[in-house]
Amino acid sequence: MWLVKLGGSLSYDPSLRSWLDVLASMGGGRVIIVPGGGPFADLVRDAQHHWDFDDEAAHRMALHAMQQNGLLLAALCPALLPAESEEDLRAVLSKGKTALWLPLSMTQGNPYLDANWSVSSDSIAAWLAGHLNAERLILIKSCRLPGTPLDATALAAAGIVDRAFPKFIDEACFETVLLEKSQLGILREMLLGERPGAAR
């Protein structure tokens, strides 16, 4: 089982449909897509900046943002099958389909996820990968990435992943791979087994 977290920054990117099509057509039975918060999370940040409300409320709103962006991805690519629970995710994969996680029900009040901005969709994807005993976690990013080997602490310091991310992948049993949005071809090769992942 692989988890592929699509950065919310891809929400209006022309490459988004291509990423979804490849994941739907080549990831069946193996891939779970985790949506970032996208423009919906940006609205939460803007509202918090304007009204100065607490991080716990903003965290809950950001989980809804991930849910909304997941619904957007499902609308763009109907071949993906939305799923909210662990049971449903595994059922989708058992049918040979690609699952699209709608995270709200598994994340609200989750004691492993701190209710502040140190935990964003990156850490939530890493938590899910550990929870499901996944083989690999792939994060798709819009920004330029440093060369391998990837250092999670340095990535967090640079703002490429959230601050909590290093603790979620420290001693994790899954491999962590970061790809730039231009590297769809690498994902294809990985799904075909022609290219090993880049270790974290």
Side-chain angles (χ1 to χ4, degrees):
M1 178 194 302
W2 296 8
L3 269 67
V4 178
K5 185 259 175 171
L6 285 174
S9 56
L10 272 72
S11 294
Y12 292 136
D13 194 280
S15 68
L16 178 60
R17 286 186 186 274
S18 297
W19 281 97
L20 295 175
D21 289 344
V22 166
L23 290 167
S25 62
M26 300 179 66
R30 178 172 28 170
V31 170
I32 296 171
I33 297 174
V34 177
F40 307 103
D42 291 338
L43 288 173
V44 175
R45 292 184 178 91
D46 290 345
Q48 187 184 29
H49 179 74
H50 181 81
W51 293 109
D52 195 30
F53 52 81
D54 63 85
D55 278 354
E56 184 176 354
H59 175 78
R60 294 199 305 271
M61 294 167 69
L63 296 177
H64 282 270
M66 290 178 65
Q67 186 91 352
Q68 292 282 71
N69 202 38
L71 294 171
L72 169 64
L73 300 183
L76 291 176
C77 186
L80 302 172
L81 295 188
E84 299 196 29
S85 67
E86 178 178 349
E87 180 182 12
D88 289 345
L89 288 168
R90 295 189 185 279
V92 169
L93 297 185
S94 71
K95 295 175 184 176
K97 301 295 185 179
T98 300
L100 173 60
W101 186 42
L102 299 180
L104 196 57
S105 64
M106 290 181 68
T107 53
Q108 285 193 114
N110 188 315
Y112 298 102
L113 302 173
D114 292 337
N116 56 56
W117 287 110
S118 71
V119 171
S120 73
S121 52
D122 292 330
S123 284
I124 291 171
W127 168 80
L128 185 65
H131 180 74
L132 298 178
N133 196 28
E135 173 190 355
R136 178 175 287 162
L137 169 64
I138 303 173
L139 304 182
I140 313 303
K141 295 286 182 177
S142 291
C143 60
R144 292 297 302 271
L145 299 172
T148 56
L150 296 177
D151 181 331
T153 301
L155 291 170
I160 295 173
V161 296
D162 62 56
R163 297 191 307 276
F165 186 75
K167 79 172 184 180
F168 281 97
I169 68 166
D170 184 38
E171 300 181 1
C173 294
F174 54 84
E175 179 187 27
T176 302
V177 178
L178 271 69
L179 296 177
E180 297 177 13
K181 67 178 183 180
S182 61
Q183 295 179 312
L184 181 57
I186 293 179
L187 179 68
R188 283 198 191 96
E189 293 174 4
M190 291 171 65
L191 289 167
L192 291 170
E194 297 175 353
R195 184 187 191 108
R200 66 173 184 270

